[in-house]
Amino acid sequence: MAIIKPIHLLIAFLLVLVMLFCLAYYGFHTNMGKAAEFILGIGLPVVAILLWGFLAAPKAKHRLPFAYLIPFKLILF
């Protein structure tokens, strides 16, 4: 039973990394011009990191209530 929590945390961490990669990939492949692709490719993951850190991280000062946390995470993913 003690092995399940670290495995769960590892899977959650890997899913967040995949989400950030997908946001960057989408940003760099929008066909909106090189400048817009660069801004979106860097900006989308940064915005997601900031929102996650302020609203969804386990130790966030302004963590969303559970009723709002699940929809927020689903929207990001």
Side-chain angles (χ1 to χ4, degrees), residues 5-76:
K5 186 171 183 177
I7 291 172
H8 178 266
L9 291 174
L10 176 66
I11 292 170
F13 176 70
L14 291 175
L15 284 173
V16 170
L17 288 180
V18 169
M19 174 194 65
L20 294 174
F21 172 78
C22 290
L23 287 171
Y25 183 83
Y26 171 75
F28 282 119
H29 293 86
T30 56
N31 295 326
M32 295 177 60
K34 293 294 181 190
E37 287 178 355
F38 182 76
I39 291 170
L40 287 174
I42 301 297
L44 287 175
V46 169
V47 169
I49 289 169
L50 291 174
L51 287 174
W52 190 276
F54 287 126
L55 300 174
K59 294 184 181 181
K61 290 183 181 180
H62 305 288
R63 186 174 168 98
L64 291 172
F66 187 74
Y68 299 111
L69 186 63
I70 299 302
F72 175 76
K73 288 182 177 182
L74 287 173
I75 289 169
L76 275 181

